[in-house]
Structures are given as structure tokens and as C-alpha cells.
Amino acid sequence: MSEATARMRRVIGSWDVIVLLAVVTIAVVGSLTIDGVSNPRFWRFVTLEAIPIVLIALPMTLIVITGEIDLSVASVLGLTCTVFGFLWESGVTSLPVLIAVSLLLGGALGAVNGLFITGFGLPSLAVTIGTLALYRGLAYVVLGDRAVASYPATWTGNAIKALPGTTIPWMILVAAALAVVFGAVLHATPVGRGLYAMGNNAEAARFTGIGVRATKFWLFVISGAMAALAGVFWTLRFASARADNGTGLELAVVAAVLLGGVSIFGGRGTLLGVLGALALLTVLRNALQLANVPANTLTIITGSLLIASVVGPNVAGMLRERLRRRRSTAPTASPST
Amino acid sequence: MTMVQTPPDAATTRGTRLARRAFVVRELGIAIALIVLVVVTFAVNPRFLSAQSIKDLLLGATILAILAIGQTVVVITRNVDLSVGSILGLAAFATGALFEASPGLPIPVMILVGLAFGAACGIVNGGLIAAARVPALVVTLGTLYVFRGLDYMWATGRQINAADMPAGFLKMGTATVAGVPVLTLFAVVVLVVVGYFLRNYRSGRELYAIGSDPAAARLSGIPTGRRVFAAFVVSGALAGLAGVLHAARFGTIDANVGLGDELNVVAAVVVGGVAIFGGSGSVYGAVLGAVLLTTIGAALPVLGINPFWQNAAVGALILAAIGLDRALSARVGRNLQERKAHV
Amino acid sequence: MRAGTKGGRLIALTALAAIAFATAACTDDSTGGTSPSPGASGGTMKTGLKIAFLPKQVNNPYFTTSDNGGKAAVEEFKGVYSETGPSDTQASAQVSYINTLSQQGTDVIVVSANDKDAICGALNEARQAGAKVVTFDADTNPTCRDLFVNQATAEGIAKIQIKLISDAVGADGGEIAILSATANATNQNAWIEMMKTELAKPEYAKLKLVDVVYGDDKDQKSFTETQALLSKHPNLKGIISPTTVGVAAAARYLSGSSYKGKVQLTGLGTPNQMRAFVKDGTVKAFALWNPADLGYLAAYAGGALASGLITGKEGEKFTAGKLGEFTIGSGATVLLGDPFTFNASNIDQFNF
């Protein structure tokens, strides 16, 4: 095997590249075959839908890389929505105040998670399942079954306003900026490298001086704050604060993170892969809906992709192992590539 | 594999007894919480313990309990099965569709069909997880979506009404034997069978070993792949059975049956003392957890507490349960270490 | 991280960015379709109109019936029918379907709203892009739709529900409760308010409303809420469930429990779902309108709007096929008619 082909294979074989290429392919194929995909309105709706999910997926990626998980994000979003609505109803009319309170609330909710997980040493899967129920329940306690929808049109209009000259909402810039920050931290700082170390072997990481517990605690706080930000956007985009806002979103985010190449055991994955996977899933869903493909087909595709994303590499790895073993026990051993 | 018989020394026996006592304490804790809740609610409204009320309570807990038993078997091995809600939905719709097509089908046959159907889904899960050695969370998240999607595709906006089901089947859903609903008897039988198997059969105990330390279990000769595979088949089969019973109880089935059940099941299992990292816990505890959660749901409206507090109560309970488990296991671990140090 | 992959990632990222910029750089897509100019009434319906039905949720037999009625109407005036919708009743779930319909250039969106405000933004965007919006069964905020096709007045529905429960419970009266759908549903809340007004009348002095619970139009939840109602109120004599999912679930629970015959039930239900319970005595009578007629009328109303025959102003008239002529009332509302009572003597005549 020549050096060039081997290099090509490594380049193309990298997971996040595969995902990004898939997005591009689908976008191109979609715009050629499905009526409306090339229309800028399509991309507007795709972006609007993707923004809250991106906001939540950014810290989720970091958390999963450290070997933990946060399933309470959708409930934090819901609780933030209801508190936002409740405060607005009760007479708080300053938007900056509402946003600040929401972010603080989200951070506090995340801190509770962090306390249980890093302070008491409890498993994050179980803790966040508990807070998933707790926070969603509190959301129902705050607003009951009602909805608060009387926000000023300027707020709701501005939330989804498009960038001048385009149809893309300006919030995407906020999401993009945050993505750059998270990406830089993860891939270009010692803190980020520490996260990978934690995911691979928490004990060893602790011995190299990394503050494992403190870092994980702050990750959960940030996760809560970002979910709260997504909640504010959600409320203003739909002009409706309800206790069931965002129900089920956590599974979609986790699916995207896993599909993006992040290992559930921690220690591996890139932010780019996750963003690519998110783009893939959102574009795919909207394109298929436009083509009148029933929604459950996408459900099946998402599930199959998820399974394939972990089974594929594993099976490929096992086959490669078997081939390598057979080759190495062959009488004429050629220098392996 | 031969094992040299060494006389158990004093420290180990005391250690095992301590561990067993912690185990009992945990189950007892839930039982006590349950009794306190029931007594308090009864004091507020005596109708809470009327025959109809108890019947409704038991019926409500039955399906969750059966799912919890299956989930326990999986969680003990340090895995998780998130697809149970979707399997239940599929099995329930299959029941309805089969009865619509052949109303004369005898009920025992339908139950076997449900079990087989669920087991088939479990085989898919177990095969992927055991053979390809992939994390259960990811695979069952994937099959959650795939099975639900298949359910939607099959149901295509239809709804099977109670009017389309054989009367005898629906009657089984509400019939009682000496005040105990027939469906609950199913759960009791499953509980006893699985509980006995886990405690008294070697392959059952091996599941605990796999959960405690998978590498060590493999090295000591336990066929971990096969055991984990079997665990998922059992979980799937029980979810299938739960689907059939759901059809009997509710009668109306659409593509949304079972949506979201998986989180309730994990909650019941965690509250019931089964460690999420595997290796400990019992099906009795899990069933108690399921009963406790259902009772809270029934008691809150009676107590006049805003039923919206129910979700929050469940969440708080889960946190309390895992905190308690960690405290208990830390105490047991410390005690065992101390005893070893003294010997 | 291997050096080679950075290059590959860069290539893919650049390609992605290029596509993003290409689409973003396109100018804003202003109103796509041509807005039909208001013509004099008495014209003919355009052919080939794309009419899409978007119910609260697609698994609900009530909506399947109403949407099929709409389909029959659309075929009559040679339009193109489609039905789509979410399988859960979250407020935001309908929004993505509205966006899709708007992108597909649908002429009329006929929607039963899950939440009166949450879908407003999307509906208004759709209207800007040239679609007409007709709500039926459950209205939105009047500012985001062109016409609302109401099955019956809130007073009419409330009157009949109270009358039926009063007849069933008997002259001695007693405690009653309401099992509703979702707490946000505009139609439910309007009916409940009117029922309270009706109950204040002297002839219903012996009836007392003690609770309102929500089954969220989900079968299982309605079932367990009924259970909880009976557990909480030992003296309950009657339940009103003005939702087809709720009344069917409550009937099933009562029929298999010790309360059968002791606690009366009425509501808005479909004959097929309720037949078994009317026959076994659990339910004496219940009401409804013909959902197929509702969908049929909504489709014709939408078609008339899109053809420019009406604009939604009070007093305008249009013809709805075999149902005859309808006049638009205040608030851009069209009324189907009065509710109909089903009981043991007539239930076998219907099949929906």
C-alpha cells in the first residue's frame, strides 16, 4: 500500500470527516432532488430548529468526553422556560433581567447535578435521571398545565430575526461563537486535554494534578447555563412558555453527540464531529419532511445510524484484528503496513 | 473448573452476613417508606384502601413491576436497556392487531406470542451488545428509536379500540382473584421465578459477578457474552409480556403506547436499590420501587397535593435512593476493610 | 490526532461553509405566492388548490374522521388533499409541520391548534408566504388565522353537557367533575367556562362542580385521572368529559369497576367508541357533532378563501357543497350547527 493511499485512507476514515462529508452530500443531493431544499427558507427553518440543540450539545460533548453524562438538560430548559414565563407574568418586564435570572437558574440547577456527582461521588447517569424528573416536575409546579404567551412582539420578533440580507437567524452567530469557544477550549488548551485524560482514566488524571472534581463540577454548571440559554431562545421563538417545552430533547442531543464520534466511555471525540452530526440529523429530518417522507422513517434512520456508529467501528476493528492475526501467523510474514 | 474448598474464615462470614444485612435493610427501607405513605394517605381518606382502590393500585404497578424485573436483570450486569418502552408498545400493538385478525385466539397463546415477540427484540439488543461488544446505552438508545419507528410504521395513525378486542381478554385485564387482580398474579409469578433464579442458580449469580467486575468475571471463566445476551433476551421478553398485559388493561392501543416508559423503569429500579453500576440489588427491591412510585402517583391526588408535584417527588426520591445506596455501600466497604485489617 | 485528518477536516469544513454561504447569501425570500384578490362572492372555486389538514395529533380517530371529511370535500372541488401532523401534543410539535407546508407552497392550511399562541409565529410566516389559514375544532389567537370553523357555540356545547349529566344523575343532584383534555386547549377552556355559567342557573342548583382534571387527550392518562377522581371524591355522582379520548377512557374504567352505574358519565364521544358502554349501561347519553361534516366545511371554507370568494368578513356567504350555504359570523367564525345527542335508541344508526 503506497504512502499516499494510506494517508488518504486515514484522512477519509476519520469519523468527523465522514460525518461532515455526509452532511454536504445530503445537502447537495437534497437540493437537487427535493423541491424546496435549495430555498433559503429551508435553511432558515433548519437553523432555527438547530440552535437550541447546538447550545445544549456543546457542553454535553465535553461532559461525555470526561466519561459522564447529563440527561437533565431538557428539564432544565423546561424549568427555565416556566420560570421565565412566571416572572414575566408577575411583572418583571426587563428582558436583560429575565435572561440573567434564567442563566443563573440554569447554572444553579447544573450546580446541583455537579454537587451530587462530584461532591457525593454518585454516578451521573442515575443522578441526572433523577434531576430530569425533579426539574421537569418543578416546571409543572411553577406553571401547571398553562402557557404564558403574552410577550411583546419586539422580543419574539428579535429572537428569530434574520441577518440582514439573508434568511438565517442572527442567533446562529451566537451559537457559532460559543461553538468556537468550546472548540478552542477542548482542542487547544491544557484544560481540554485534561478532559480527555479524565475520560480515559480519572485516577491517573488526578495524579497529574488535574482538578478532576472541580472541572467536572463546573462542566455541569455550564451545561445547566447553556440549557437555560436554549430555554430563553425556545420561549421567545415559540412565544410560549410551557412546562412540557423541550420534552425528550435530551435523547436527541445524546444521539447527536454519540453519532458525532464521541465515545460513551469518554476520552475520545471531537466537537466538529458532534456539530456535523447535529447538522446531519437536522437537515435530514427537514429534507425528508419536505419530501413527505413520514416522520417515523427518520426515527428509524436515526436509531440505525446510532447503532451503526458504534457497531461498525467495533466490528471493523474485530475483523481487522482477526485478519492481522491470520497474517502474522502465516509462514511468509511480509512487513505489515 | 475445580475449586479448592477452603474453610470460610470468620472475617468473610461476618462480611457476607453484613453485606446480606445491608441488602435486607435496603429493601426494608423501601417497604417501610411504602407502608408509611399508605398509612398516612389512609388516615386522610379511608377510601384509599377500598377494594377498588387497592385493585387500581396493584393494576397500575403491575406493568411497571414486570418491566422493572427485566431491567434489573440487565442493570445487574452493568448494562441498561432503554428500548423497553418501544418493545412494550410494539408488543401491545401486535396483540391488538392479532386479535383483530383472529379474535378466537386463546389468551395463553397470545401471552406466548407476546413473550416471543419481546424476546426477538431482546435478541437484537443482546446480539449487538454481546457480539459486537458495544456499550448498551448507545445500542438500546438506537433500538429505542428503531423499534418505535417500526411501531409507528405498523400503526400508521391507526388506533385499536377496546371494541375490537375479545371481551374475555379485556375482562382478564380487570378481573380479580380474591381481590388480587389477575394481571398482578402474572407479576408475582415472574417475580418469584426470576428472584429464585438470580439467587439460587449459578448462572444467576454469575450475572452479579459480571456487573461487579466484568474483566475479572471473564478471566474466571464466566461466559460473559452469553450471560449478557441472555439478560437482554429476558428483558425483552418481559417487556413483551408487559405489552400484552397493557393491551388487556387499557384496551385502546395506538403507536404511542409505552412512550417514555424507559425512564420510569430505570427510576423504579434505582429507587429499589439496584446499583446503576451493576453487581448488587435484587428484583424484590426493584418491584418494591415500582410499587412505591405507583403508590405515590395514586396517593398525591388523594392527599390533596397538587399532582404536578408527582414528577418532582419521583426525582427527589431517585436522588435520595442513590445517595442512600452510596452511603450504605461505603459503610459496608469500610466495615469489611476494618475487619480484614483486624484479622 | 493524526496530521492527515486535519487536512481532511479542513476540506469538508470548507465545502460545508461554502454551501452555507451560498444559501445565506441568497436574498430574503419575500412573499412567494400571489395573494388572491378579494372577488365578489358567487364565483367558482379554483381547481388544483393544495389543501393540507394539520390536526392536533395524527393518531386520534376523531381527527381521522374529520380529516377524511375534508378529503371528500377537497376531491369534490378538485383540489389536492394532504394530511400531516405530529404524534405528540407538545405545542412546538405542530410548528415544524406548518413550516414544511409553507415551504411546499400549500394554498390552505387547515389546523386544529394544540396551543393557541405557540403556532402563531409559524402561521403568520406561512400567511406571508401566501397560504390561507383556517382553524377548526380548536382555534388559535384570531390574529394568526383567516377563518375559524367552529363545530358549535361554546354555549350550545355547555348547555347540552350540563343537561345530559343532570338527566343522568337525577333530580337529587350531587357532585360532578370534569375530565378535560389539555389545559391549554382553547375549545376546552371555553366550554368549561360556559359550563360553569350554565351550572349557576337555578334549575341546576343541586349540581356542584368539585374538580377539573386533565387527561391530555391521552388514553392512559385519562384512564388514571378518572381513577384518581373517584378515589379523591367519594361522593362523586357524575363526570363530564368533553373530549372523545377522555370520555372513552373514563367509560372503560367505569365499566370495569365497582362504580359502574353509580357514577354517571357523559361527554363528547364518537358512536363507535361509545357503543359498547351505552349498551352496557355505563353511559346513558352523550353528544357530538359529525366530525366529518366539520372537516368537510373547513375544507370548503379554505377553498373559498383561497379562491378569493370570501375574505373572512362578517356577513359574507359561501356554499359548502352538500351542507349548503354558510354565513360568516363575528370574529371570522363559521358555525357548523348544534350538537347532537346519541343514546341507546339511535346509536346504531351511525358509523364513525
Side-chain angles (χ1 to χ4, degrees), chain B residues 45 47-48 52-53 55-56 152 157-159 161-162 174 246 249-252 254-256 301-302 304, chain C residues 57-59 61 64 87 219-220 223 227-228 230-235 252-253 256-259 272-273:
Chain B
N45 184 344
R47 221 196 208 193
F48 188 65
Q52 177 70 32
S53 242
K55 173 178 152 187
D56 289 332
Y152 276 137
R158 276 202 295 157
Q159 188 189 59
N161 284 318
T174 52
H246 178 111
R249 180 164 187 232
F250 290 102
T252 302
D254 63 16
N256 281 332
V302 175
Chain C
Q57 55 177 141
V58 286
N59 297 332
T64 310
S87 41
D219 184 84
Q220 209 170 323
F223 195 88
Q227 195 177 303
L230 291 163
S231 180
K232 189 169 167 208
H233 302 280
N235 297 322
R252 224 170 51 246
Y253 175 76
S257 74
S258 58
Y259 302 111
N272 285 3
Q273 278 181 304

Side-chain angles (χ1 to χ4, degrees), chain B residues 69-224:
Chain B
I69 294 172
Q71 187 73 223
T72 306
V73 175
V74 166
V75 172
I76 285 177
T77 65
R78 204 186 274 195
N79 286 301
V80 70
D81 187 353
L82 292 179
S83 62
V84 287
S86 307
I87 299 179
L88 188 155
L90 261 177
F93 198 82
T95 310
L98 258 173
F99 269 133
E100 239 183 3
S102 47
L105 210 61
I107 295 177
V109 172
M110 184 50 85
I111 292 178
L112 282 174
V113 167
L115 279 167
F117 198 88
C121 296
I123 288 176
V124 170
N125 278 334
L128 286 169
I129 293 167
R133 304 247 194 98
V134 284
L137 185 76
V138 181
V139 169
T140 55
L141 187 60
T143 49
L144 180 159
Y145 283 130
V146 173
F147 291 154
R148 180 62 61 185
L150 290 173
D151 193 3
Y152 276 137
M153 207 186 275
W154 193 1
T156 41
R158 276 202 295 157
Q159 188 189 59
I160 296 184
N161 284 318
D164 308 319
M165 306 268 260
F169 184 63
L170 289 177
K171 205 176 287 173
M172 176 178 89
T174 52
T176 59
V177 170
V180 175
V182 169
L183 296 186
T184 311
L185 292 177
F186 275 101
V188 169
V189 166
V190 171
L191 174 64
V192 166
V193 166
V194 176
Y196 186 79
F197 173 79
L198 282 178
R199 190 166 300 182
N200 298 57
Y201 274 71
R202 191 172 68 189
S203 34
R205 287 203 300 270
E206 281 173 357
L207 294 177
Y208 284 97
I210 298 173
S212 300
D213 192 333
R218 199 173 302 131
L219 287 171
S220 66
I222 297 177
T224 49

Side-chain angles (χ1 to χ4, degrees), chain A residues 274-289:
Chain A
V274 172
L275 292 175
L278 267 172
L280 180 66
L281 289 176
T282 319
V283 171
L284 200 57
R285 184 201 5 270
N286 281 284
L288 289 181
Q289 204 169 288

Side-chain angles (χ1 to χ4, degrees), chain C residues 79-209:
Chain C
V80 177
Y81 168 85
S82 66
E83 187 203 23
T84 185
S87 41
D88 73 277
T89 50
Q90 249 190 84
S92 48
Q94 283 182 318
V95 168
S96 106
Y97 289 97
I98 296 173
N99 291 338
T100 303
L101 289 174
S102 167
Q103 287 174 77
Q104 290 172 327
T106 312
D107 295 301
V108 181
I109 301 178
V110 183
V111 57
S112 173
N114 267 330
D115 179 298
K116 86 178 204 308
D117 295 295
I119 59 175
C120 260
L123 283 179
N124 278 331
E125 264 196 61
R127 286 162 88 200
Q128 273 180 337
K132 291 293 180 199
V133 172
V134 174
T135 49
F136 78 107
D137 180 72
D139 201 5
T140 58
N141 193 316
T143 56
C144 40
R145 46 88 169 152
D146 294 304
L147 210 57
F148 171 43
V149 177
N150 202 353
Q151 44 269 38
T153 57
E155 291 92 351
I157 291 174
K159 271 200 167 77
I160 193 128
Q161 298 283 275
I162 299 295
K163 176 160 186 315
L164 286 177
I165 199 67
S166 172
D167 289 344
V169 166
D172 292 329
E175 292 182 358
I176 58 169
I178 297 179
L179 168 64
S180 181
T182 55
N184 288 68
T186 348
N187 48 359
Q188 294 286 318
N189 290 336
W191 301 336
I192 292 173
E193 276 316 300
M194 290 278 95
M195 280 193 239
K196 289 184 183 160
T197 315
E198 190 72 12
L199 278 171
K201 292 192 181 158
E203 59 258 41
Y204 300 122
K206 292 234 177 93
L207 285 176
K208 183 160 159 259
L209 178 65

Side-chain angles (χ1 to χ4, degrees), chain A residues 110-144:
Chain A
V112 169
N113 276 331
L115 177 66
F116 275 98
I117 294 167
T118 59
F120 302 156
L122 302 175
S124 57
L125 182 64
V127 167
T128 54
I129 287 183
T131 48
L132 178 157
L134 179 64
Y135 296 157
R136 183 66 67 184
L138 290 176
Y140 275 100
V141 169
V142 169
L143 271 193

